[in-house]
Amino acid sequence: MRNKCVRTAVALAAASSVLALAACTTHPSATENSGTAGPAAPPEATGESQEWFDQALYDRQSEQRTAEFEGDPQQPYLQYIAGDMTDTSKFASEGAKKACFANASISNPWRQAGWITMNQQLKDLQDAGVISEMEARDAKDNDNTQIADIDY
């Protein structure tokens, strides 16, 4: 009798877990009010566009994967993919500038290496008189904090 009760309790727990999981979703089609009793129709069936996919953008980016870069190969950081250049000389200003950086975190080795590299580059730019100082903020892996840091 006891084994039967245990098996029944386990079966009920498993069934309720499955029902709870089936009821939880963030997929838009499950939460949209389509005005029908059934699931929402897919966007292509209603003539709506799929906002997450842009065929023209995809095609352009796919072509860029095999594009030839323009510019000096000895300075890859100045190379670019074919396109119109914009004259920005009207924005030129004199003297060193303050730089601000809203860091997501330095919580892993990759980010730590980037932080060290950036600070070394900062020293070089300060020595060259390009940057006077840098204010940096660390969001410690908190998206809301980084957004607030950027706004600041």
Side-chain angles (χ1 to χ4, degrees):
M1 179 70 168
R2 186 172 198 284
N3 285 341
K4 186 175 182 181
C5 289
V6 170
R7 279 184 276 163
T8 303
V10 169
L12 285 173
S16 64
S17 296
V18 169
L19 289 173
L21 287 174
C24 295
T25 183
T26 58
H27 192 276
S29 66
T31 58
E32 290 174 354
N33 182 2
S34 63
T36 63
E44 59 274 6
T46 62
E48 297 176 28
S49 68
Q50 294 180 347
E51 293 180 26
W52 57 271
F53 183 75
D54 181 336
Q55 184 68 49
L57 178 62
Y58 172 83
D59 292 341
R60 189 180 80 212
Q61 291 175 345
S62 183
E63 286 177 26
Q64 290 173 343
R65 292 175 48 212
T66 57
E68 298 273 336
F69 289 97
E70 296 184 34
D72 184 359
Q74 299 303 313
Q75 294 181 309
Y77 45 88
L78 294 179
Q79 290 184 325
Y80 59 97
I81 296 175
D84 295 333
M85 299 298 284
T86 301
D87 180 12
T88 59
S89 60
K90 66 182 177 184
F91 301 107
S93 61
E94 297 295 320
K97 303 295 181 253
K98 178 180 179 179
C100 297
F101 181 67
N103 196 14
S105 74
I106 53 170
S107 62
N108 63 51
W110 179 82
R111 289 185 176 279
Q112 292 166 8
W115 177 252
I116 292 166
T117 302
M118 182 180 68
N119 277 288
Q120 183 58 53
Q121 183 64 44
L122 172 63
K123 288 178 187 174
D124 293 344
L125 292 171
Q126 286 175 320
D127 291 345
V130 176
I131 293 181
S132 59
E133 63 179 308
M134 182 174 80
E135 180 179 340
R137 294 173 172 260
D138 189 342
K140 297 181 174 53
D141 292 314
N142 183 306
D143 294 343
N144 292 327
T145 300
Q146 188 176 21
I147 290 167
D149 290 346
I150 292 167
D151 286 342
Y152 171 80

